[in-house]
Amino acid sequence: MALTVSLVVLLGIVLLLLLRSRSLGWGSAAVAAGFGFSLASTGAADPINTLATALIAALPNL
């Protein structure tokens, strides 16, 4: 059985864990989220999505 998890959900969980462990403050989390939304609307979004897809596809082969 394969489980598919969105990269956004995965990164959101990581961000939540960093907030709960107090490794990251709320201000830094807001800046990180804002940067992510800004980055998604630029021309860099397609190469980043391609890189993330390639890395995820390579994980089972490790």
Side-chain angles (χ1 to χ4, degrees):
M1 179 174 115
L3 178 66
T4 304
V5 179
S6 171
L7 186 60
V8 173
V9 172
L10 183 63
L11 292 176
I13 291 170
V14 170
L15 189 59
L16 179 66
L17 291 174
L18 287 173
L19 283 170
R20 290 194 44 90
S21 69
R22 299 188 190 267
S23 298
L24 185 69
W26 286 100
S28 300
V31 169
F35 177 71
F37 281 113
S38 298
L39 189 62
S41 65
T42 66
D46 287 334
I48 291 171
N49 285 335
T50 303
L51 176 65
T53 302
L55 288 175
I56 291 169
L59 284 177
N61 298 326
L62 291 179

